[in-house]
Amino acid sequence: MKLQWALATDTGRVRRVNQDSIYADGKLFAVADGMGGHAGGEVASKLAVETLSEIPSSERLAEAFRSSFSEANRRIMSEASHSEKLKGMGTTLTAALVTAEAGKEVFLVQNIGDSRAYFLHRGELQQITKDHTYVGELLRSGSITEEQAAHHSQRHVLTKALGVEATVDSDIFKVSPSPGDILLLCSDGLINHVTDGEIEKILMGGLPLQQRADRLIESANLSGGTDNISVILVEVLGLSSTGEDQDGSSPVELYQEKELETVVRRKPELLSIPRPIDKQAIVRGSRIFTLRVAAFLLLFLLLVGGVLISVQLYENHSYFVGDADGAVAIFHGHPGGLLWYSPSVVQTSSLHLDVLNSVEASAIKNKVPEPSLVAAESYIRNLKARVKQQSYISSHPLGSSFTTTTTSGSGVG
Ligand code: MN
């Protein structure tokens, strides 16, 4: 088979990292869309395409192709089990292998997840793969319409992926191409924003193949680019085998492997859907979750810290003069206390309440707030000075003083 191919992958306009991985070597083409927070998604999708690229060119190529998906699954689960950071990582994998079946050159297309393979055959685009999504299952069972599926809130919930279950239940299709046909592999970042009609138009557009791939990415970005976008275009330029396709038979069919018929194929029933994986929730979730929690914790700590500091400052700068077992004393703190702070005695003066007049004593008993220790000390000094003056006056009554003076005066006189 004579081929030309073009690859393009883009982070898109929303995500910060590209967790898609793509691979092409002329015999094998693959798109993987990783999921799992931090590095997980990138690691899973990379492991998937790396494993695939190691398929030995043997006579049992189809068998090796199928088992490479299981091997990729095993490696992803093993890596994830050895690292806390990679726990829960997974990936979609859509791959095309160039091979021959009964002397006829074909593509085998294998898929798990919701990355897609399309086939542009004689100017008509058709989807090869089935989406392994909850919505895809609902659609196939006839529970919802195409229109409902396109806007379904759970359209990103996967029912199958690599790295989730020990067994891999992928689909394989056989695609019989004609010269001029184009195989398209893409991640959901393209499909979310570009309709099948638009894809067909771009593929039919007659631009060089690479420009058509770039145009697909551009279209997805122009309509939002909410996810990583990956595209592989494989154009069939010529076939070396002459086993021409019989008109009337479909160029795409479910691949029946003779050697592998012992493998029981599970029918896609809604009841048998394994644990759904919400890609958006996992991918975006883990990042936003930690950011949100971190931001919330920080805010909470700042608030608590602020309150603590305020209370501390308020308490540190609060003094009052009060009654400590009959003595006038300076207390540190707020009269009555505040939260966990209770006032404590800083200084007990030699001044006793019983030498004060009733107004002063009552004020002290009711506590006299002062803005600082110095102010409290000054208040007590003033009280002492007044009491001293009072006691001087009482021990030296005005009259007797005058009498004495007068007496001595009269004595002189
Ligand atoms: Mn994606």
Side-chain angles (χ1 to χ4, degrees), residues 15 20 33-34 92 114-115 156 187-190 192 227-229 279-280 283:
R15 300 286 167 86
D20 287 358
D33 179 349
T92 71
D114 68 348
S115 296
H156 297 291
S187 60
D188 67 335
L190 177 74
N192 290 341
D227 194 5
N228 306 144
I229 313 147
K279 283 171 61 185
Q280 304 295 69
V283 173

PDB file of all heavy atoms in Angstrom, residues 15 20 33-34 92 114-115 156 187-190 192 227-229 279-280 283, ligand 1:
ATOM      1  N   ARG A  15      -6.479  23.887  28.050  1.00  0.00           N
ATOM      2  CA  ARG A  15      -5.600  23.061  28.867  1.00  0.00           C
ATOM      3  C   ARG A  15      -4.179  23.625  28.870  1.00  0.00           C
ATOM      4  O   ARG A  15      -3.776  24.293  27.939  1.00  0.00           O
ATOM      5  CB  ARG A  15      -5.568  21.630  28.308  1.00  0.00           C
ATOM      6  CG  ARG A  15      -6.921  20.955  28.273  1.00  0.00           C
ATOM      7  CD  ARG A  15      -7.361  20.556  29.679  1.00  0.00           C
ATOM      8  NE  ARG A  15      -8.768  20.186  29.707  1.00  0.00           N
ATOM      9  CZ  ARG A  15      -9.234  18.977  29.440  1.00  0.00           C
ATOM     10  NH1 ARG A  15      -8.395  18.031  29.103  1.00  0.00           N
ATOM     11  NH2 ARG A  15     -10.517  18.722  29.493  1.00  0.00           N
ATOM     12  N   ASP A  20      -2.430  14.160  25.044  1.00  0.00           N
ATOM     13  CA  ASP A  20      -2.578  13.261  23.901  1.00  0.00           C
ATOM     14  C   ASP A  20      -1.189  12.801  23.461  1.00  0.00           C
ATOM     15  O   ASP A  20      -0.215  13.529  23.620  1.00  0.00           O
ATOM     16  CB  ASP A  20      -3.208  14.002  22.703  1.00  0.00           C
ATOM     17  CG  ASP A  20      -4.693  14.297  22.900  1.00  0.00           C
ATOM     18  OD1 ASP A  20      -5.241  13.905  23.945  1.00  0.00           O
ATOM     19  OD2 ASP A  20      -5.291  14.914  21.996  1.00  0.00           O
ATOM     20  N   ASP A  33      -5.441   9.402  24.045  1.00  0.00           N
ATOM     21  CA  ASP A  33      -5.870  10.582  24.807  1.00  0.00           C
ATOM     22  C   ASP A  33      -5.818  10.202  26.286  1.00  0.00           C
ATOM     23  O   ASP A  33      -6.678   9.484  26.785  1.00  0.00           O
ATOM     24  CB  ASP A  33      -7.290  10.950  24.353  1.00  0.00           C
ATOM     25  CG  ASP A  33      -7.866  12.157  25.092  1.00  0.00           C
ATOM     26  OD1 ASP A  33      -7.264  12.598  26.092  1.00  0.00           O
ATOM     27  OD2 ASP A  33      -8.918  12.647  24.657  1.00  0.00           O
ATOM     28  N   GLY A  34      -4.794  10.689  26.969  1.00  0.00           N
ATOM     29  CA  GLY A  34      -4.590  10.305  28.366  1.00  0.00           C
ATOM     30  C   GLY A  34      -5.454  11.074  29.334  1.00  0.00           C
ATOM     31  O   GLY A  34      -5.899  12.182  29.057  1.00  0.00           O
ATOM     32  N   THR A  92      -7.256   6.519  26.241  1.00  0.00           N
ATOM     33  CA  THR A  92      -7.959   5.930  25.107  1.00  0.00           C
ATOM     34  C   THR A  92      -6.856   5.466  24.157  1.00  0.00           C
ATOM     35  O   THR A  92      -5.701   5.888  24.304  1.00  0.00           O
ATOM     36  CB  THR A  92      -8.809   6.972  24.359  1.00  0.00           C
ATOM     37  OG1 THR A  92      -7.934   7.862  23.661  1.00  0.00           O
ATOM     38  CG2 THR A  92      -9.677   7.772  25.329  1.00  0.00           C
ATOM     39  N   ASP A 114     -12.856   6.901  23.538  1.00  0.00           N
ATOM     40  CA  ASP A 114     -13.680   7.755  22.678  1.00  0.00           C
ATOM     41  C   ASP A 114     -12.884   8.560  21.650  1.00  0.00           C
ATOM     42  O   ASP A 114     -13.387   9.507  21.068  1.00  0.00           O
ATOM     43  CB  ASP A 114     -14.548   8.695  23.514  1.00  0.00           C
ATOM     44  CG  ASP A 114     -13.735   9.750  24.255  1.00  0.00           C
ATOM     45  OD1 ASP A 114     -12.486   9.613  24.314  1.00  0.00           O
ATOM     46  OD2 ASP A 114     -14.336  10.702  24.782  1.00  0.00           O
ATOM     47  N   SER A 115     -11.616   8.187  21.455  1.00  0.00           N
ATOM     48  CA  SER A 115     -10.926   8.768  20.298  1.00  0.00           C
ATOM     49  C   SER A 115     -11.530   8.041  19.099  1.00  0.00           C
ATOM     50  O   SER A 115     -12.010   6.917  19.243  1.00  0.00           O
ATOM     51  CB  SER A 115      -9.424   8.520  20.388  1.00  0.00           C
ATOM     52  OG  SER A 115      -8.903   9.193  21.513  1.00  0.00           O
ATOM     53  N   HIS A 156     -18.808  12.935  28.286  1.00  0.00           N
ATOM     54  CA  HIS A 156     -17.374  12.663  28.459  1.00  0.00           C
ATOM     55  C   HIS A 156     -17.104  11.460  29.350  1.00  0.00           C
ATOM     56  O   HIS A 156     -15.957  11.135  29.614  1.00  0.00           O
ATOM     57  CB  HIS A 156     -16.677  13.890  29.030  1.00  0.00           C
ATOM     58  CG  HIS A 156     -16.751  15.064  28.115  1.00  0.00           C
ATOM     59  ND1 HIS A 156     -16.076  15.090  26.920  1.00  0.00           N
ATOM     60  CD2 HIS A 156     -17.449  16.218  28.195  1.00  0.00           C
ATOM     61  CE1 HIS A 156     -16.349  16.235  26.308  1.00  0.00           C
ATOM     62  NE2 HIS A 156     -17.180  16.924  27.059  1.00  0.00           N
ATOM     63  N   SER A 187      -8.465  12.607  18.409  1.00  0.00           N
ATOM     64  CA  SER A 187      -8.928  12.590  19.793  1.00  0.00           C
ATOM     65  C   SER A 187     -10.226  13.391  19.871  1.00  0.00           C
ATOM     66  O   SER A 187     -10.576  14.121  18.942  1.00  0.00           O
ATOM     67  CB  SER A 187      -7.858  13.175  20.720  1.00  0.00           C
ATOM     68  OG  SER A 187      -7.561  14.499  20.381  1.00  0.00           O
ATOM     69  N   ASP A 188     -10.928  13.270  20.982  1.00  0.00           N
ATOM     70  CA  ASP A 188     -12.237  13.927  21.098  1.00  0.00           C
ATOM     71  C   ASP A 188     -12.147  15.450  21.086  1.00  0.00           C
ATOM     72  O   ASP A 188     -13.150  16.129  20.895  1.00  0.00           O
ATOM     73  CB  ASP A 188     -12.985  13.435  22.345  1.00  0.00           C
ATOM     74  CG  ASP A 188     -12.324  13.868  23.641  1.00  0.00           C
ATOM     75  OD1 ASP A 188     -11.098  14.124  23.628  1.00  0.00           O
ATOM     76  OD2 ASP A 188     -13.016  13.950  24.673  1.00  0.00           O
ATOM     77  N   GLY A 189     -10.940  15.991  21.272  1.00  0.00           N
ATOM     78  CA  GLY A 189     -10.760  17.438  21.198  1.00  0.00           C
ATOM     79  C   GLY A 189     -11.171  17.998  19.846  1.00  0.00           C
ATOM     80  O   GLY A 189     -11.564  19.154  19.726  1.00  0.00           O
ATOM     81  N   LEU A 190     -11.092  17.159  18.796  1.00  0.00           N
ATOM     82  CA  LEU A 190     -11.532  17.583  17.465  1.00  0.00           C
ATOM     83  C   LEU A 190     -13.058  17.467  17.357  1.00  0.00           C
ATOM     84  O   LEU A 190     -13.736  18.417  16.974  1.00  0.00           O
ATOM     85  CB  LEU A 190     -10.874  16.725  16.379  1.00  0.00           C
ATOM     86  CG  LEU A 190     -11.327  17.030  14.946  1.00  0.00           C
ATOM     87  CD1 LEU A 190     -10.722  18.344  14.465  1.00  0.00           C
ATOM     88  CD2 LEU A 190     -10.967  15.911  13.979  1.00  0.00           C
ATOM     89  N   ASN A 192     -15.389  17.337  19.568  1.00  0.00           N
ATOM     90  CA  ASN A 192     -16.181  18.206  20.431  1.00  0.00           C
ATOM     91  C   ASN A 192     -16.540  19.516  19.748  1.00  0.00           C
ATOM     92  O   ASN A 192     -17.511  20.171  20.110  1.00  0.00           O
ATOM     93  CB  ASN A 192     -15.412  18.532  21.718  1.00  0.00           C
ATOM     94  CG  ASN A 192     -15.289  17.334  22.629  1.00  0.00           C
ATOM     95  OD1 ASN A 192     -16.039  16.369  22.498  1.00  0.00           O
ATOM     96  ND2 ASN A 192     -14.332  17.371  23.545  1.00  0.00           N
ATOM     97  N   ASP A 227     -10.100  21.254  24.598  1.00  0.00           N
ATOM     98  CA  ASP A 227      -9.362  20.038  24.958  1.00  0.00           C
ATOM     99  C   ASP A 227      -8.137  19.923  24.047  1.00  0.00           C
ATOM    100  O   ASP A 227      -8.013  20.660  23.072  1.00  0.00           O
ATOM    101  CB  ASP A 227     -10.298  18.833  24.766  1.00  0.00           C
ATOM    102  CG  ASP A 227      -9.770  17.565  25.435  1.00  0.00           C
ATOM    103  OD1 ASP A 227      -8.730  17.631  26.124  1.00  0.00           O
ATOM    104  OD2 ASP A 227     -10.406  16.512  25.262  1.00  0.00           O
ATOM    105  N   ASN A 228      -7.259  19.007  24.362  1.00  0.00           N
ATOM    106  CA  ASN A 228      -6.129  18.712  23.480  1.00  0.00           C
ATOM    107  C   ASN A 228      -6.699  18.141  22.187  1.00  0.00           C
ATOM    108  O   ASN A 228      -7.669  17.400  22.208  1.00  0.00           O
ATOM    109  CB  ASN A 228      -5.203  17.663  24.100  1.00  0.00           C
ATOM    110  CG  ASN A 228      -4.733  18.033  25.499  1.00  0.00           C
ATOM    111  OD1 ASN A 228      -4.577  17.170  26.343  1.00  0.00           O
ATOM    112  ND2 ASN A 228      -4.518  19.313  25.753  1.00  0.00           N
ATOM    113  N   ILE A 229      -6.094  18.511  21.067  1.00  0.00           N
ATOM    114  CA  ILE A 229      -6.602  18.070  19.763  1.00  0.00           C
ATOM    115  C   ILE A 229      -5.481  17.328  19.042  1.00  0.00           C
ATOM    116  O   ILE A 229      -4.373  17.856  18.916  1.00  0.00           O
ATOM    117  CB  ILE A 229      -7.024  19.280  18.895  1.00  0.00           C
ATOM    118  CG1 ILE A 229      -7.883  20.258  19.707  1.00  0.00           C
ATOM    119  CG2 ILE A 229      -7.762  18.804  17.641  1.00  0.00           C
ATOM    120  CD1 ILE A 229      -7.693  21.703  19.299  1.00  0.00           C
ATOM    121  N   LYS A 279     -13.760  11.585  32.194  1.00  0.00           N
ATOM    122  CA  LYS A 279     -12.466  12.140  31.783  1.00  0.00           C
ATOM    123  C   LYS A 279     -12.299  13.570  32.259  1.00  0.00           C
ATOM    124  O   LYS A 279     -11.276  13.939  32.782  1.00  0.00           O
ATOM    125  CB  LYS A 279     -12.344  12.106  30.262  1.00  0.00           C
ATOM    126  CG  LYS A 279     -12.039  10.731  29.753  1.00  0.00           C
ATOM    127  CD  LYS A 279     -12.145  10.674  28.261  1.00  0.00           C
ATOM    128  CE  LYS A 279     -11.166  11.600  27.588  1.00  0.00           C
ATOM    129  NZ  LYS A 279     -11.377  11.604  26.148  1.00  0.00           N
ATOM    130  N   GLN A 280     -13.365  14.371  32.054  1.00  0.00           N
ATOM    131  CA  GLN A 280     -13.269  15.772  32.457  1.00  0.00           C
ATOM    132  C   GLN A 280     -12.989  15.852  33.953  1.00  0.00           C
ATOM    133  O   GLN A 280     -12.134  16.585  34.390  1.00  0.00           O
ATOM    134  CB  GLN A 280     -14.571  16.509  32.155  1.00  0.00           C
ATOM    135  CG  GLN A 280     -14.982  16.421  30.716  1.00  0.00           C
ATOM    136  CD  GLN A 280     -14.018  17.121  29.776  1.00  0.00           C
ATOM    137  OE1 GLN A 280     -12.894  16.681  29.572  1.00  0.00           O
ATOM    138  NE2 GLN A 280     -14.436  18.215  29.196  1.00  0.00           N
ATOM    139  N   VAL A 283      -9.294  14.507  34.561  1.00  0.00           N
ATOM    140  CA  VAL A 283      -8.265  15.390  34.017  1.00  0.00           C
ATOM    141  C   VAL A 283      -8.294  16.745  34.701  1.00  0.00           C
ATOM    142  O   VAL A 283      -7.355  17.145  35.357  1.00  0.00           O
ATOM    143  CB  VAL A 283      -8.465  15.595  32.500  1.00  0.00           C
ATOM    144  CG1 VAL A 283      -7.489  16.635  31.993  1.00  0.00           C
ATOM    145  CG2 VAL A 283      -8.273  14.286  31.774  1.00  0.00           C
TER     146      VAL A 283
HETATM  147 MN    MN B   1      -9.562  14.546  25.042  1.00  0.00          MN
END
